[in-house]
Amino acid sequence: MTTTKQFVIQAAARNNAEWCASMSRSHGLTGEFGAQAWAVPARPPLYYPDAVTLVPRADAAALVDRIDTAAAGACVKDSFADLDLTGAGFEVLFDAQWIHRPASTPTTSPDLTWGVVSDRDVLRAWALAWDDGGGNADLFRPALLDDPATSVLVGHSADGLVAAGAVASRSEQVVGISNVFALEGGADRAWPGVLNVVHRLFPDLPVVGYEHGADLDAALHHGFEAIGPLRVWLHGG
């Protein structure tokens, strides 16, 4: 791996940890950044990790000591896919790839009208569309609208309904994208609008995130490069 890719991965990992911290704060939980990892001592919101490593070869035992493993469900985002947590009762949940796209003007025009969510009613409509009937729309709480580093992006159809969306998390060196969705056409339909609004908001920042499977294919189709692996571990309790 080149030094440049390693630098970008570390920036992406830090950005992702900051987004996880923002999501935890919106649920009343406060995590802590250490030299090697961010961690939250109580169980974080659904789909979000208890810890995110920030540097390669983090101390696994010290990391596990910072999170709650008394019950099943603790989750560690191993940002460099270089830990072995099996001895601490974890198993691999999934592997993915960090993705990176240089700051540049998007080449594909969106077919929806895109903007940034600014009020609770639109956030609720966005969350219901993102959830698509799964029963977890309450994950996205109004406190996110007060976070200056978080922009909830929304794509509206011609009839004014929420049709697609994503979350942009700005940090010092990059802007991270997560929760990309479209009710029809999937991530491949959402990415043109996401990239256009992100370039409008943060024209000088490269875009990062992580994906796997079909969502990774969609990101690559829209100009991203896969730059290195990450791994998510789940504790069995």
Side-chain angles (χ1 to χ4, degrees), residues 120-211:
R120 293 183 175 213
D121 290 342
V122 178
L123 179 63
R124 182 61 179 174
W126 183 100
L128 288 168
W130 168 87
D131 183 58
D132 197 21
N136 297 308
D138 290 340
L139 181 65
F140 293 91
R141 297 185 173 180
L144 289 173
L145 300 178
D146 298 323
D147 184 349
T150 300
S151 300
V152 180
L153 312 180
V154 59
H156 286 104
S157 60
D159 56 7
L161 298 177
V162 175
V167 174
S169 310
R170 177 187 51 78
S171 55
E172 184 177 354
Q173 298 167 319
V174 296
V175 55
I177 304 299
S178 62
N179 296 285
V180 179
F181 75 92
L183 294 180
E184 296 180 3
D188 196 52
R189 186 187 187 192
W191 272 120
V194 170
L195 291 172
N196 271 270
V197 72
V198 165
H199 184 69
R200 189 166 72 241
L201 294 171
F202 315 109
D204 299 322
L205 288 179
V207 185
V208 297
Y210 73 89
E211 299 289 359

Side-chain angles (χ1 to χ4, degrees), residues 19 46 48 57 59 72 78 80 104 117 122 132 139 145-146 158 163 165 175 177 189 207 212 218 227:
W19 161 236
L46 183 67
Y48 285 80
R57 298 175 295 280
D59 184 324
D78 175 6
F80 304 87
S104 61
V117 174
V122 178
D132 197 21
L139 181 65
L145 300 178
D146 298 323
V175 55
I177 304 299
R189 186 187 187 192
V207 185
H212 63 104
I227 57 173

